[in-house]
Short mmCIF file of all heavy atoms in Angstrom, two decimals:
data_model
loop_
_atom_site.label_atom_id
_atom_site.label_comp_id
_atom_site.label_asym_id
_atom_site.label_seq_id
_atom_site.Cartn_x
_atom_site.Cartn_y
_atom_site.Cartn_z
N GLU A 27 -61.17 62.92 43.05
CA GLU A 27 -60.60 61.92 43.96
C GLU A 27 -61.44 60.66 43.82
O GLU A 27 -62.66 60.75 43.65
CB GLU A 27 -60.67 62.42 45.40
CG GLU A 27 -59.65 63.47 45.76
CD GLU A 27 -58.22 62.96 45.61
OE1 GLU A 27 -57.95 61.85 46.11
OE2 GLU A 27 -57.41 63.65 44.97
N PRO A 28 -60.82 59.48 43.94
CA PRO A 28 -61.64 58.28 43.87
C PRO A 28 -62.63 58.19 45.03
O PRO A 28 -62.28 58.51 46.17
CB PRO A 28 -60.61 57.13 43.94
CG PRO A 28 -59.31 57.75 44.29
CD PRO A 28 -59.39 59.22 44.02
N ILE A 37 -61.08 49.28 34.40
CA ILE A 37 -59.63 49.42 34.54
C ILE A 37 -59.04 49.71 33.17
O ILE A 37 -59.25 48.96 32.22
CB ILE A 37 -58.98 48.14 35.09
CG1 ILE A 37 -59.72 47.62 36.32
CG2 ILE A 37 -57.51 48.37 35.42
CD1 ILE A 37 -59.24 46.25 36.78
N VAL A 62 -60.23 53.79 36.01
CA VAL A 62 -58.94 53.99 36.69
C VAL A 62 -57.80 53.69 35.72
O VAL A 62 -57.77 52.66 35.07
CB VAL A 62 -58.80 53.14 37.97
CG1 VAL A 62 -59.73 53.64 39.04
CG2 VAL A 62 -59.06 51.67 37.69
N GLU A 63 -56.89 54.64 35.63
CA GLU A 63 -55.81 54.57 34.64
C GLU A 63 -54.48 54.75 35.39
O GLU A 63 -54.33 55.68 36.15
CB GLU A 63 -56.02 55.67 33.60
CG GLU A 63 -54.79 56.05 32.78
CD GLU A 63 -54.17 54.89 32.02
OE1 GLU A 63 -54.90 54.12 31.37
OE2 GLU A 63 -52.91 54.74 32.09
N LYS A 64 -53.52 53.87 35.09
CA LYS A 64 -52.27 53.93 35.87
C LYS A 64 -51.41 55.14 35.49
O LYS A 64 -50.70 55.67 36.32
CB LYS A 64 -51.49 52.64 35.71
CG LYS A 64 -50.66 52.53 34.48
CD LYS A 64 -49.74 51.32 34.55
CE LYS A 64 -49.14 51.14 33.16
NZ LYS A 64 -48.59 49.86 32.88
N GLY A 65 -51.48 55.60 34.25
CA GLY A 65 -50.72 56.78 33.86
C GLY A 65 -51.67 57.92 33.57
O GLY A 65 -52.49 58.29 34.40
N ILE A 201 -60.10 58.63 36.78
CA ILE A 201 -59.08 58.74 37.83
C ILE A 201 -57.74 58.34 37.24
O ILE A 201 -57.47 57.17 36.99
CB ILE A 201 -59.46 57.86 39.03
CG1 ILE A 201 -60.85 58.27 39.55
CG2 ILE A 201 -58.41 58.00 40.13
CD1 ILE A 201 -61.53 57.21 40.35
N GLN A 202 -56.88 59.34 37.00
CA GLN A 202 -55.58 59.07 36.40
C GLN A 202 -54.53 58.84 37.48
O GLN A 202 -54.76 59.10 38.65
CB GLN A 202 -55.18 60.24 35.49
CG GLN A 202 -56.24 60.56 34.43
CD GLN A 202 -55.81 61.66 33.47
OE1 GLN A 202 -54.99 61.43 32.59
NE2 GLN A 202 -56.35 62.84 33.65
N ASN A 203 -53.36 58.38 37.06
CA ASN A 203 -52.27 58.08 37.99
C ASN A 203 -52.73 57.18 39.12
O ASN A 203 -52.45 57.42 40.30
CB ASN A 203 -51.67 59.37 38.56
CG ASN A 203 -51.13 60.25 37.45
OD1 ASN A 203 -50.35 59.78 36.60
ND2 ASN A 203 -51.57 61.50 37.41
N CYS A 204 -53.46 56.17 38.78
CA CYS A 204 -54.04 55.25 39.76
C CYS A 204 -53.92 53.84 39.18
O CYS A 204 -54.70 53.45 38.32
CB CYS A 204 -55.50 55.64 39.99
SG CYS A 204 -56.34 54.61 41.20
N GLU A 205 -52.91 53.12 39.63
CA GLU A 205 -52.64 51.79 39.06
C GLU A 205 -53.38 50.72 39.87
O GLU A 205 -53.33 50.73 41.10
CB GLU A 205 -51.14 51.51 39.08
CG GLU A 205 -50.81 50.12 38.53
CD GLU A 205 -49.32 49.88 38.39
OE1 GLU A 205 -48.54 50.84 38.58
OE2 GLU A 205 -48.95 48.73 38.09
N VAL A 206 -54.04 49.84 39.18
CA VAL A 206 -54.66 48.69 39.86
C VAL A 206 -53.56 47.70 40.20
O VAL A 206 -52.81 47.24 39.33
CB VAL A 206 -55.74 48.05 38.97
CG1 VAL A 206 -56.18 46.71 39.55
CG2 VAL A 206 -56.92 48.99 38.83
N THR A 207 -53.45 47.36 41.50
CA THR A 207 -52.38 46.47 41.96
C THR A 207 -52.92 45.11 42.38
O THR A 207 -52.16 44.21 42.68
CB THR A 207 -51.62 47.10 43.14
OG1 THR A 207 -52.60 47.46 44.14
CG2 THR A 207 -50.88 48.35 42.71
N GLY A 208 -54.25 44.99 42.44
CA GLY A 208 -54.82 43.69 42.83
C GLY A 208 -56.33 43.77 42.88
O GLY A 208 -56.92 44.83 42.64
N PHE A 209 -56.94 42.62 43.12
CA PHE A 209 -58.39 42.55 43.23
C PHE A 209 -58.74 42.07 44.64
O PHE A 209 -57.99 41.30 45.23
CB PHE A 209 -58.97 41.56 42.21
CG PHE A 209 -58.75 41.96 40.79
CD1 PHE A 209 -57.60 41.55 40.10
CD2 PHE A 209 -59.66 42.75 40.11
CE1 PHE A 209 -57.38 41.91 38.79
CE2 PHE A 209 -59.46 43.12 38.79
CZ PHE A 209 -58.31 42.70 38.14
N VAL A 219 -61.23 46.81 43.53
CA VAL A 219 -59.82 46.76 43.14
C VAL A 219 -58.94 47.46 44.16
O VAL A 219 -59.31 48.49 44.74
CB VAL A 219 -59.61 47.42 41.75
CG1 VAL A 219 -60.23 46.56 40.65
CG2 VAL A 219 -60.18 48.83 41.70
N GLU A 220 -57.76 46.87 44.38
CA GLU A 220 -56.72 47.54 45.16
C GLU A 220 -55.94 48.42 44.19
O GLU A 220 -55.57 47.97 43.11
CB GLU A 220 -55.76 46.52 45.79
CG GLU A 220 -56.43 45.42 46.61
CD GLU A 220 -56.94 45.91 47.96
OE1 GLU A 220 -56.65 47.09 48.31
OE2 GLU A 220 -57.63 45.13 48.64
N THR A 221 -55.70 49.67 44.59
CA THR A 221 -54.96 50.57 43.69
C THR A 221 -53.89 51.31 44.46
O THR A 221 -53.84 51.25 45.69
CB THR A 221 -55.88 51.63 43.04
OG1 THR A 221 -56.14 52.66 44.01
CG2 THR A 221 -57.20 51.03 42.58
N THR A 222 -53.04 52.01 43.72
CA THR A 222 -52.00 52.82 44.36
C THR A 222 -52.63 54.00 45.12
O THR A 222 -51.94 54.70 45.85
CB THR A 222 -51.02 53.36 43.32
OG1 THR A 222 -51.78 53.87 42.21
CG2 THR A 222 -50.11 52.25 42.81
N ARG A 223 -53.94 54.23 44.92
CA ARG A 223 -54.62 55.28 45.68
C ARG A 223 -55.67 54.66 46.59
O ARG A 223 -56.66 55.31 46.93
CB ARG A 223 -55.23 56.30 44.72
CG ARG A 223 -54.13 57.06 43.97
CD ARG A 223 -54.66 57.94 42.87
NE ARG A 223 -55.41 59.08 43.36
CZ ARG A 223 -55.88 60.06 42.57
NH1 ARG A 223 -55.66 60.02 41.28
NH2 ARG A 223 -56.56 61.06 43.09
N GLY A 224 -55.43 53.43 47.00
CA GLY A 224 -56.31 52.81 47.98
C GLY A 224 -57.32 51.87 47.35
O GLY A 224 -57.40 51.73 46.13
N PHE A 225 -58.12 51.23 48.22
CA PHE A 225 -59.11 50.27 47.74
C PHE A 225 -60.32 51.02 47.17
O PHE A 225 -60.77 52.01 47.73
CB PHE A 225 -59.56 49.37 48.90
CG PHE A 225 -60.70 48.46 48.53
CD1 PHE A 225 -60.48 47.35 47.73
CD2 PHE A 225 -61.99 48.73 48.97
CE1 PHE A 225 -61.53 46.50 47.38
CE2 PHE A 225 -63.05 47.88 48.62
CZ PHE A 225 -62.81 46.77 47.82
N ILE A 226 -60.79 50.56 46.01
CA ILE A 226 -62.02 51.12 45.43
C ILE A 226 -63.01 49.98 45.26
O ILE A 226 -62.75 49.03 44.52
CB ILE A 226 -61.75 51.79 44.07
CG1 ILE A 226 -60.66 52.86 44.19
CG2 ILE A 226 -63.03 52.40 43.50
CD1 ILE A 226 -60.25 53.50 42.87
N LYS A 245 -53.38 38.93 38.62
CA LYS A 245 -53.65 39.32 40.00
C LYS A 245 -54.99 38.76 40.47
O LYS A 245 -55.29 38.75 41.66
CB LYS A 245 -53.63 40.85 40.11
CG LYS A 245 -52.25 41.43 39.81
CD LYS A 245 -52.29 42.94 39.91
CE LYS A 245 -50.99 43.66 39.71
NZ LYS A 245 -49.98 43.28 38.87
#
Side-chain angles (χ1 to χ4, degrees):
Chain A
E27 284 299 312
I37 311 171
V62 290
E63 161 57 47
K64 82 170 169 199
I201 303 158
Q202 305 184 75
N203 301 309
C204 181
E205 179 173 352
V206 169
T207 53
F209 296 90
V219 290
E220 307 286 353
T221 78
T222 46
R223 294 172 69 174
F225 174 74
I226 305 175
K245 296 179 177 34

